[in-house]
């Protein structure tokens, strides 16, 4: 055992507890079960000793940080993140990377990590929301009134900013928040379906099951969005015909 520890220390490898400690400040809810879950999904592939113990390199830790940041900040499902990492591993530049950011195979560059650290969800005041979206005071009040956005102690999140920008664009076409309430109702029904599907897994107490439930919810949301897009585009195509 002592020899194995010496070998691990000399190679710079970390055990799972040390990985958790490294990520604790940025991702305090991270657990060993979640790390193993991400390994099962093919997001990381730590080295195994002859005795079967996992050894994590700094590259593995950076991949974990990359995955967790995209989940937390961009709400991406693991399948999308894995495709992103697979492209990086092939030496390709995945679509959507900010200009000037470079990536290296099986690792995340310091520049990309720095970019991710600046894209954490923000809390915006109403003034910031209006300034960044172009929404008027009356439009923001209407969005809140019709349930399209919510504020917590006068603060709004990034989702509210996206909704506000969409409402500003739709306002140019004569559509007001009162016309858009069906979108919120539809979203609530879709979330209800997702909750029904993942409820058995989410109700379990172990963290691994809850992580799988959260990931399944993300994947379902992507499928729902694809379905919605296809149905709308199909109806528009029939209009053209």
């Amino acid at each position: 055992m002592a020899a194995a520890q010496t070998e691990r220390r000399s190679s710079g490898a970390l055990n799972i507890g040390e990985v958790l400690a490294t990520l604790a400040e940025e991702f305090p809810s991270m657990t060993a079960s979640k790390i193993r879950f991400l390994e099962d999904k093919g997001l990381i592939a730590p080295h195994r000793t002859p005795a079967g113990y996992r050894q994590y390199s700094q590259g593995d830790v950076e991949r974990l940080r990359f995955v967790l940041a995209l989940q937390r900040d961009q709400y991406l499902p693991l399948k999308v993140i894995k495709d992103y990492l697979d492209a990086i591993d092939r030496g390709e530049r995945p679509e959507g990377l900010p200009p000037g950011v470079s990536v290296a195979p099986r690792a995340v560059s310091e520049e990309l990590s720095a970019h991710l650290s600046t894209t954490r969800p923000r809390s915006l005041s109403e003034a910031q929301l209006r300034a960044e979206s172009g929404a008027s005071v009356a439009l923001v009040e209407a969005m809140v009134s019709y349930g399209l956005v919510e504020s917590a102690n006068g603060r709004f999140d990034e989702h509210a900013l996206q909704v506000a920008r969409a409402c500003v664009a739709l306002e140019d076409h004569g559509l007001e928040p009162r016309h858009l309430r069906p979108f919120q109702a539809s979203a609530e029904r879709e979330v209800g379906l997702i909750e029904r599907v993942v409820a058995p897994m989410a109700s379990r107490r172990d963290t691994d099951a809850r992580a799988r439930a959260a990931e399944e919810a993300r994947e379902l949301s992507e499928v729902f969005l694809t379905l919605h897009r296809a149905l709308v585009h199909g109806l528009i195509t029939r209009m053209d015909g």
Side-chain angles (χ1 to χ4, degrees):
M1 179 68 72
Q5 288 179 338
T6 301
E7 180 182 355
R8 179 170 58 80
R9 294 292 184 185
S10 62
S11 65
L14 305 174
N15 62 32
I16 199 165
E18 290 167 329
V19 173
L20 288 172
T22 301
L23 299 172
E25 182 176 354
E26 191 172 1
F27 305 99
S29 63
M30 189 61 176
T31 64
S33 294
K34 178 66 180 290
I35 293 178
R36 287 190 287 267
F37 170 63
L38 294 175
E39 181 182 348
D40 291 341
K41 288 290 187 177
L43 277 299
I44 56 171
H47 172 71
R48 292 290 191 113
T49 68
Y53 293 106
R54 295 174 175 86
Q55 293 185 333
Y56 298 86
S57 67
Q58 289 301 320
D60 292 325
V61 175
E62 288 307 310
R63 285 173 75 89
L64 280 171
R65 183 175 283 114
F66 178 72
V67 171
L68 296 170
L70 285 182
Q71 277 192 311
R72 181 194 62 196
D73 302 341
Q74 309 298 330
Y75 308 98
L76 295 178
L78 290 182
K79 184 180 182 304
V80 174
I81 299 174
K82 187 175 187 306
D83 290 343
Y84 208 82
L85 283 171
D86 287 345
I88 293 173
D89 292 341
R90 293 192 299 268
E92 300 173 2
R93 182 182 178 83
E95 293 184 7
L97 278 180
V101 172
S102 61
V103 292
R106 303 207 63 78
V108 180
S109 70
E110 292 182 2
E111 294 166 289
L112 184 53
S113 296
H115 166 71
L116 290 173
S117 69
T118 64
T119 57
R120 296 180 183 178
R122 293 182 298 151
S123 174
L124 298 91
S125 67
E126 182 179 330
Q128 289 174 312
L129 180 70
R130 288 190 282 106
E132 295 192 30
S133 67
S136 64
V137 172
L139 182 59
V140 172
E141 290 177 351
M143 289 189 301
V144 173
S145 175
Y146 286 98
L148 297 178
V149 299
E150 294 182 354
S151 67
N153 299 319
R155 309 292 296 186
F156 298 86
D157 61 17
E158 290 280 355
H159 298 295
L161 177 59
Q162 294 176 29
V163 171
R165 286 171 173 164
C167 286
V168 168
L170 292 171
E171 193 176 39
D172 292 339
H173 297 277
L175 294 174
E176 303 172 5
R178 62 189 176 89
H179 301 128
L180 306 177
R181 185 65 181 88
F183 285 90
Q184 179 66 21
S186 176
E188 290 170 356
R189 287 194 297 270
E190 290 178 10
V191 170
L193 287 174
I194 291 173
E195 289 177 339
R196 186 190 307 174
V197 172
V198 304
M201 194 178 300
S203 63
R204 291 166 56 182
R205 294 186 177 183
D206 59 290
T207 56
D208 186 47
R210 289 199 296 271
R212 292 178 186 275
E215 179 53 30
E216 186 172 2
R218 289 189 184 93
E219 292 176 352
L220 284 171
S221 71
E222 287 296 311
V223 175
F224 282 1
L225 290 172
T226 299
L227 174 61
H228 177 81
R229 220 167 17 243
L231 291 172
V232 171
H233 289 173
L235 291 173
I236 291 174
T237 300
R238 291 171 202 163
M239 289 171 54
D240 294 339

